[in-house]
Amino acid sequence: MNVSQSNLNNSVLKAFDLLEHFHPDKPAWGVRELAQHIGANKSTIYRLLATLEHIGVLQQHPETEKYSLGLKLFELGHRVGIQSALVNKTHDILEEVTKEITENVHLGILQSNEVLVVDKVDSPKGLKLNFQLGSRSPLHCTSMGKTLLAFAEKQEEIIEELDLFSKTPYSLTQKMGLIAALNQIRKDGFALDREEYELGLICLGVPVFNQNGKAIAALSASGPANRFREEALKDYVAILQKGASAIQQKIGNFQIKF
Amino acid sequence: MNVSQSNLNNSVLKAFDLLEHFHPDKPAWGVRELAQHIGANKSTIYRLLATLEHIGVLQQHPETEKYSLGLKLFELGHRVGIQSALVNKTHDILEEVTKEITENVHLGILQSNEVLVVDKVDSPKGLKLNFQLGSRSPLHCTSMGKTLLAFAEKQEEIIEELDLFSKTPYSLTQKMGLIAALNQIRKDGFALDREEYELGLICLGVPVFNQNGKAIAALSASGPANRFREEALKDYVAILQKGASAIQQKIGNFQIKF
DNA sequence: AACAGTGTTTCAAATAATGAAACGACTATA
DNA sequence: TATAGTCGTTTCATTATTTGAAACACTGTT
């Protein structure tokens, strides 16, 4: 566990490295278990866990004694959205778009070669097989991902680093095919995901530009395949694009660090 | 800045102490500014900020060079809700309650002598003067707060520590009056906040018990005073209580660390 | 009773954090 | 143009903290 780097605070780096290991697939860890997984001494891990538990960033289950993410993190994490110009100022626009399309609407940004969902509004209709706020999704098989990639400045670099795994039989797994799709998306001004991410799920995405013309986010609508008929798509694209330009006007020259 | 304590990791404590200073009233800090405010050396603060920025927990505004909360925190914070039994399993119940009452519905827990809002569903009606997810509100002048306090195990201790400040002319600012109100709430099984927190805003709260009979959360509905007429309250209480017992059944023997 | 699991504590040795001062790059004032 | 006042950032010897092997206390199992 040698995280040492320039002038950065080692303990802080290690603490957040620890927190990364608490994800939905493995939300609770014991001391030895986590120490072994990371390859660090159990005393070190114990003290880090105890520290994080002390301030509420982690909580220890009273019976199992395992640690999981705590409410302090919940609180701090939600402050980000409240304080972020992108999320805070534009939530109302997402609600309007949702009302018009009556499907789940998401706002996502490009981060670490994935889509990070930064805001969403659920459709009044039932059926909620969709993306969680704060979750990450792959770039190559989602409408938001392909949109962001199509308008990304470092598109080629990013594609080189991607793992074009097959999420469904419809996923684009070939570099050439992906690049062709991206070119088409740039021409069309929208991206379509026909069950590339999940069978039965169709997503439609459009880019959100800032006032310098840089694509800083993607806006998408998603729902079950039977509700996304060919004839409806054109209307949906128009509604999404209207929402995207409304966002553009609200945020001005907003920038996001990738 | 002497945070040293037992065996805990000093740097980690300091890092999270820093993060606490980034709240909605002061979301962006410069190095010197924050160092002076905390009373620490600017080099120390600089390195902590740089470390947190390096991993995305903070982000530095490209122009002002000031730091603010970053997307890594957003991501981690939202994992808590996804992984939490209380929030994850019960969101659908909140949606049903919202549909029936057609007012904003909140789920809150007692934490550090405040109410922490851990889930919410917005009313389809407009008007959104309400509590943000992840925000904290005082115990003595909110329906959720009074509910949690009325059924709290360490009620007396907590009341001693409270600052019964006057948020509106209707806030309960006297210890005796608060205790009387709490006794009534325990008898009634619900708490009413008539503009005690904000003028024009009425909230109704009921306790959520776990299967050991411990009040672990409060469920509330809130809206403008003109929509909370006397004759409607009884129905609202019944709907909220139905929701609260539905939550109780879902979460079983759930515990929260305060 | 011995064993194999936990999480936790100990203490000298190794390492990393600290802070006064200097640096470079700005901006506003004289 | 100087000069003074900002800002974030870097330096380096001093200081304080983190580290890890081993021991501890506790649990449930063989």
Side-chain angles (χ1 to χ4, degrees), chain B residues 139-156:
Chain B
L139 289 178
H140 71 287
C141 58
T142 61
S143 69
M144 287 195 290
K146 290 192 294 180
T147 304
L148 290 167
L149 202 47
F151 294 92
E153 288 173 353
K154 300 180 180 174
Q155 186 190 102
E156 288 178 35

Side-chain angles (χ1 to χ4, degrees), chain B residues 7 11 14 41-44 47:
Chain B
N7 257 337
S11 301
K14 271 178 290 188
N41 188 282
K42 54 183 157 56
S43 298
T44 303
R47 277 174 298 228

Side-chain angles (χ1 to χ4, degrees), chain A:
Chain A
M1 201 182 192
N2 192 358
V3 211
S4 63
Q5 206 162 354
S6 66
N7 254 336
L8 305 178
N9 185 306
N10 235 310
S11 301
V12 174
L13 290 180
K14 272 178 290 188
F16 279 95
D17 187 51
L18 271 200
L19 292 178
E20 284 295 334
H21 288 82
F22 293 83
H23 48 74
D25 297 333
K26 179 68 179 149
W29 290 89
V31 174
R32 289 174 131 90
E33 186 184 20
L34 184 53
Q36 191 180 359
H37 188 258
I38 293 182
N41 189 282
K42 52 182 158 59
S43 299
T44 304
I45 299 302
Y46 166 71
R47 278 175 296 229
L48 282 170
L49 289 173
T51 304
L52 293 167
E53 195 267 353
H54 180 78
I55 52 181
V57 170
L58 293 175
Q59 52 192 137
Q60 198 175 13
H61 191 98
E63 287 171 20
T64 64
E65 285 186 311
K66 294 201 173 190
Y67 294 85
S68 58
L69 298 180
L71 291 164
K72 175 53 70 189
L73 213 51
F74 181 88
E75 188 191 340
L76 286 170
H78 280 84
R79 283 192 201 167
V80 183
I82 295 168
Q83 294 170 23
S84 155
L86 180 60
V87 175
N88 193 27
K89 291 185 181 174
T90 65
H91 185 79
D92 292 344
I93 297 169
L94 260 69
E95 296 212 327
E96 281 182 38
V97 172
T98 309
K99 264 189 192 167
E100 292 192 52
I101 298 190
T102 63
E103 297 290 354
N104 290 345
V105 169
H106 296 89
L107 187 67
I109 64 171
L110 180 60
Q111 212 204 28
S112 311
N113 290 355
E114 290 183 299
V115 184
L116 177 68
V117 179
V118 295
D119 201 5
K120 67 174 253 191
V121 175
D122 281 347
S123 145
K125 296 177 184 168
L127 195 69
K128 301 223 169 125
L129 39 94
N130 65 0
F131 307 100
Q132 294 269 14
L133 211 50
S135 68
R136 296 164 164 284
S137 307
L139 289 178
H140 71 287
C141 57
T142 60
S143 69
M144 286 195 291
K146 290 192 294 180
T147 304
L148 290 167
L149 202 47
F151 294 92
E153 287 173 352
K154 300 180 181 175
Q155 187 191 101
E156 288 179 35
E157 282 180 43
I158 298 173
I159 292 176
E160 282 306 314
E161 294 165 13
L162 289 186
D163 168 20
L164 302 179
F165 61 91
S166 169
K167 189 84 168 53
T168 75
Y170 304 107
S171 305
L172 293 170
T173 57
Q174 299 302 316
K175 206 174 291 181
M176 295 300 286
L178 178 62
I179 291 172
L182 297 177
N183 288 334
Q184 189 61 42
I185 290 165
R186 259 199 315 283
K187 280 183 198 162
D188 294 339
F190 69 89
L192 187 62
D193 152 21
R194 283 193 183 280
E195 311 189 54
E196 294 166 32
Y197 180 75
E198 197 162 316
L199 289 175
L201 181 69
I202 289 192
C203 303
L204 200 55
V206 303
V208 177
F209 300 102
N210 71 2
Q211 296 194 348
N212 292 343
K214 190 178 164 192
I216 53 151
L219 186 66
S220 84
S222 52
N226 61 313
R227 288 208 299 256
F228 273 73
R229 302 228 168 278
E230 205 63 49
E231 56 271 22
L233 291 184
K234 209 176 148 189
D235 288 343
Y236 289 0
V237 169
I239 296 169
L240 286 171
Q241 284 175 339
K242 194 177 67 181
S245 31
I247 294 174
Q248 179 177 16
Q249 294 203 329
K250 277 259 183 174
I251 56 173
N253 188 17
F254 186 73
Q255 302 251 357
I256 293 179
K257 272 209 78 172
F258 304 116

Side-chain angles (χ1 to χ4, degrees), chain A residues 253 255, chain B residues 60-66:
Chain A
N253 188 17
Q255 302 251 357
Chain B
Q60 197 175 13
H61 191 98
E63 287 170 21
T64 64
E65 285 185 312
K66 294 201 172 187

